[in-house]
Amino acid sequence: MTRGRAINVRDLRKRNRAQALAAVYHYGPITRQQIGAATGVSPATVSNLVGDLLDQGVIVEAGAEDSDGGRPRALLRVKPDYKYVVGVDVGETAILVELFDLDMQVQASHSITPTADRLDPEKTAQYVLDGLDRVITYSRLSPDEILGVGVGVPGLVVHGDDAVVHAQTIGWDGVPLGAMLRSGTDLPLFVENGAKTFGQAEKWFGAARGAENAIIVLLGTGTGASIFTEGELYRGASSSAGEWGHTTVMVNGRTCRCGAKGCLEAYVGGWAIVARYDELRRRTPADTDTDLVARLTAIAQAPSDDQCAAQVLQETATYLGAGIANLINLFNPERIVVGGWIQEILGDRLLPAIREVASEQALRMPFSVVSIVAAQLGRDAVALGAATLPVDDFLASGAVPPLRKTTQRAI
């Protein structure tokens, strides 16, 4: 009985420590009193936990705030350079590897543009490992200063030691990306769907912050969504929830890259928009038309008398508005965030029309409580969100050093 009680006390202390550290990280600079209010932990326990974290160097004092006639209260925050994390965005047009401090400020960055039309798994793993080596070398950090590497990828991720990726649209069928990356690094690995890492970034730091029920939409070469209910990311039975781009908007419609017909992505994905514009202009794409960003930028900036550009933008907004109305009716969110590099290019032209269509297609009551807003974090949000995966693991551990030197796993 004594041993069981000791285990329970130890677990309780670890949980309290994790909660206190998470409060400091997410809400700091913060006082001890505010930590207690956020966690429900007694002042004496907070004092002990904060003392341990200060001694370990995980948190530091960051000034003081005035109290009502008493001594100023010390403000606490996580020490930005206590440890570092790496975030990777494996995109279809570019691979971005970035190293962050715990303030999530970029310390080093490396971008790779794949030369092939489709991402080759082996080459992709090597691109990531090369980028990882470059940012670590540039920053002059040792491996024990890095908490881990988060990787955002297209497609579905089966979480486990191998982090198996299923991405039909790029020809990946059961690719053990985690195992492939572990062959070149001993750092802890966390692999997740890129739309989910994008959503995590906007939820922690961007336009979805503070919203308990939110959906973050990612518009790019592909289309996906992160769904948060009661503050928690909804994953589904096999972690494939959020494949919004592969919901059907037109029975027997255009063929999607996944092979099905009528998927939303076949109407609002990057190449789908360009293909529709060429179709309206009765234009055959040249072999050199490979710069998707340049093509979409040209459509967004087309002169007012370009009726084909106006039509394709209106059609895109209509399909997106209908798709967002479906999300509103299904999940009743308080906020929908629209982001991704396509939104950055087309956002000023799209968002007002999207809101209008969604208002016409969604049920009045759930639409009345939702706001549809633009994302805030820019093009490195997928990498930023991927970097939060090792940070989240670090917070959940309460910054207690692991018993083993490394932990390679995907979440």
Side-chain angles (χ1 to χ4, degrees):
M1 291 296 292
T2 302
R3 183 181 177 187
R5 183 173 182 275
I7 292 173
N8 290 335
V9 169
R10 185 174 66 247
D11 291 345
L12 178 61
R13 180 173 176 79
K14 180 180 177 180
R15 187 189 70 183
N16 289 340
R17 181 180 165 110
Q19 289 179 336
L21 179 59
V24 175
Y25 185 82
H26 288 295
Y27 307 116
I30 187 173
T31 66
R32 289 169 173 80
Q33 289 77 10
Q34 291 168 331
I35 295 171
T39 61
V41 175
S42 70
T45 300
V46 169
S47 181
N48 289 334
L49 294 172
V50 166
D52 288 347
L53 291 168
L54 283 168
D55 291 342
Q56 189 178 331
V58 181
I59 64 175
V60 292
E61 292 190 357
E65 72 169 16
D66 294 334
S67 60
D68 296 331
R71 294 173 54 189
R73 295 173 175 173
L75 292 168
L76 304 165
R77 60 171 298 180
V78 171
K79 191 172 185 285
D81 59 355
Y82 175 74
K83 295 288 182 180
Y84 297 83
V85 290
V86 176
V88 181
D89 174 7
V90 177
E92 294 183 49
T93 57
I95 296 170
L96 178 64
V97 182
E98 293 188 308
L99 185 140
F100 301 84
D101 63 17
L102 291 182
D103 264 354
M104 306 314 287
Q105 298 299 308
V106 177
Q107 304 300 304
S109 180
H110 181 68
S111 180
I112 307 103
T113 302
T115 55
D117 291 338
R118 274 195 169 187
L119 289 174
D120 175 79
E122 288 77 15
K123 288 183 179 178
T124 297
Q126 194 56 55
Y127 286 143
V128 172
L129 292 171
D130 289 346
L132 180 60
D133 181 66
R134 283 176 177 266
V135 296
I136 293 175
T137 301
Y138 176 83
S139 61
R140 298 181 180 178
L141 296 174
S142 61
D144 61 1
E145 293 179 274
I146 298 174
L147 293 172
V149 181
V151 184
V153 298
L156 313 178
V157 179
V158 178
H159 295 146
D161 288 340
D162 289 342
V164 177
V165 180
H166 297 268
Q168 287 178 225
T169 57
I170 60 172
W172 288 20
D173 184 15
V175 172
L177 185 63
M180 294 164 70
L181 292 174
R182 279 202 308 276
S183 67
T185 181
D186 290 328
L187 291 171
L189 292 170
F190 304 80
V191 182
E192 182 57 279
N193 169 265
K196 288 184 172 68
T197 70
F198 177 83
Q200 178 94 327
E202 288 289 339
K203 183 69 173 67
W204 276 28
F205 309 113
R209 185 174 176 130
E212 289 294 293
N213 296 282
I215 298 176
I216 299 93
V217 168
L218 177 64
L219 306 179
T221 309
T223 306
S226 296
I227 302 161
F228 288 86
T229 60
E230 302 303 321
E232 298 294 327
L233 178 64
Y234 177 68
R235 296 181 179 278
S238 60
S239 198
S240 69
E243 288 296 321
W244 176 59
H246 299 290
T247 56
T248 303
V249 294
M250 183 69 69
V251 175
N252 293 322
R254 299 177 195 167
T255 301
C256 179
R257 296 186 304 156
C258 74
K261 292 184 180 295
C263 293
L264 177 64
E265 187 175 302
Y267 295 84
V268 303
W271 285 115
I273 297 172
V274 168
R276 176 58 174 158
Y277 180 70
D278 290 338
E279 178 187 348
L280 290 171
R281 293 190 65 190
R282 294 181 173 84
R283 175 181 182 272
T284 301
D287 292 337
T288 55
D289 287 345
T290 58
D291 192 336
L292 180 57
V293 174
R295 292 293 314 277
L296 285 169
T297 300
I299 293 172
Q301 297 175 353
S304 58
D305 61 353
D306 187 335
Q307 296 301 313
C308 294
Q311 181 175 338
V312 76
L313 290 174
Q314 182 58 49
E315 289 178 359
T316 301
T318 298
Y319 283 111
L320 282 171
I324 284 174
N326 289 338
L327 293 176
I328 292 169
N329 290 343
L330 283 169
F331 295 101
N332 188 205
E334 63 194 275
R335 195 174 306 163
I336 291 182
V337 177
V338 182
W341 62 266
I342 286 184
Q343 189 279 328
E344 289 188 26
I345 294 173
L346 305 179
D348 292 342
R349 304 283 295 272
L350 285 181
L351 268 182
I354 287 172
R355 293 188 185 105
E356 182 179 354
V357 173
S359 72
E360 295 169 351
Q361 296 296 320
L363 293 170
R364 286 191 298 273
M365 192 281 288
F367 182 80
S368 70
V369 301
V370 71
S371 58
I372 302 172
V373 301
Q376 295 177 347
L377 297 179
R379 294 194 180 186
D380 67 347
V382 172
L384 174 64
T388 68
L389 301 177
V391 173
D392 199 34
D393 187 68
F394 168 71
L395 298 178
S397 74
V400 175
L403 295 177
R404 294 175 293 175
K405 288 186 177 181
T406 59
T407 306
Q408 296 97 26
R409 66 184 182 85
I411 66 170

